[in-house]
């Protein structure tokens, strides 16, 4: 079974930085796009950033210039470097991956359990 596990969340002051990590495990043939999403209390889950297997990136306007998404050399990991954090960045951050199962060669999206990011003013 495929699992995505996030780490790196925590409490930081406004203006500070955090780096989130996402590691995928299981019987994986390949992972196409990976992404980071976030959900604040009372809000819908929203896109933060995505990255394709070829390295093309896409960012929400609210994080452009402050956040950077990347993937590890093994392509089964994704990172989100968050700089110049603001209180409005406070949310649970989720990792998502479009994974092709090596047993069936079928693809579907998987989600991690989420990691809390809290930015104090």
């Amino acid at each position: 079974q495929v699992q995505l596990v996030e780490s790196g969340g925590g409490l930081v002051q406004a203006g500070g930085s955090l780096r989130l990590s996402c590691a995928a495990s299981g019987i994986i043939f390949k992972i196409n796009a990976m992404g980071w999403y976030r959900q604040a209390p009372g809000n819908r889950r929203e896109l933060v950033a995505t990255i394709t297997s070829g390295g093309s990136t896409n960012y929400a306007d609210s994080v452009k210039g402050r956040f950077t998404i990347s993937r590890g050399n093994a392509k089964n990991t994704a990172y989100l470097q968050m700089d110049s954090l603001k209180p409005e960045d406070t949310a649970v951050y989720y990792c998502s991956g479009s994974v092709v199962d090596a047993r069936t060669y079928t693809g579907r999206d998987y989600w991690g359990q989420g990691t809390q990011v809290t930015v104090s003013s």
Side-chain angles (χ1 to χ4, degrees):
Q1 183 169 349
V2 175
Q3 284 188 317
L4 271 65
V5 178
E6 304 99 335
S7 61
L11 173 64
V12 65
Q13 288 188 330
S17 297
L18 281 175
R19 180 176 168 87
L20 304 183
S21 299
C22 173
S25 62
I27 305 174
I28 297 171
F29 175 66
K30 67 178 293 187
I31 301 179
N32 294 317
M34 297 187 77
W36 289 95
Y37 295 75
R38 67 187 181 187
Q39 188 169 16
N43 290 357
R44 292 181 175 181
R45 190 173 298 188
E46 63 177 6
L47 168 74
V48 175
T50 60
I51 183 168
T52 67
S53 57
S56 296
T57 59
N58 180 54
Y59 295 93
D61 288 343
S62 59
V63 307
K64 281 181 181 176
R66 300 188 298 121
F67 291 10
T68 303
I69 189 171
S70 61
R71 290 179 71 163
N73 290 334
K75 303 299 184 184
N76 284 2
T77 55
Y79 306 96
L80 186 68
Q81 177 67 40
M82 304 186 294
D83 299 317
S84 302
L85 281 160
K86 304 176 181 180
E88 50 263 44
D89 295 318
T90 296
V92 177
Y93 283 71
Y94 297 90
C95 175
S96 176
S98 178
V99 180
V100 178
D101 190 309
R103 297 166 297 177
T104 63
Y105 297 101
T106 57
R108 55 160 280 193
D109 290 339
Y110 289 85
W111 292 85
Q113 81 287 351
T115 185
Q116 177 70 45
V117 172
T118 302
V119 184
S120 64
S121 57

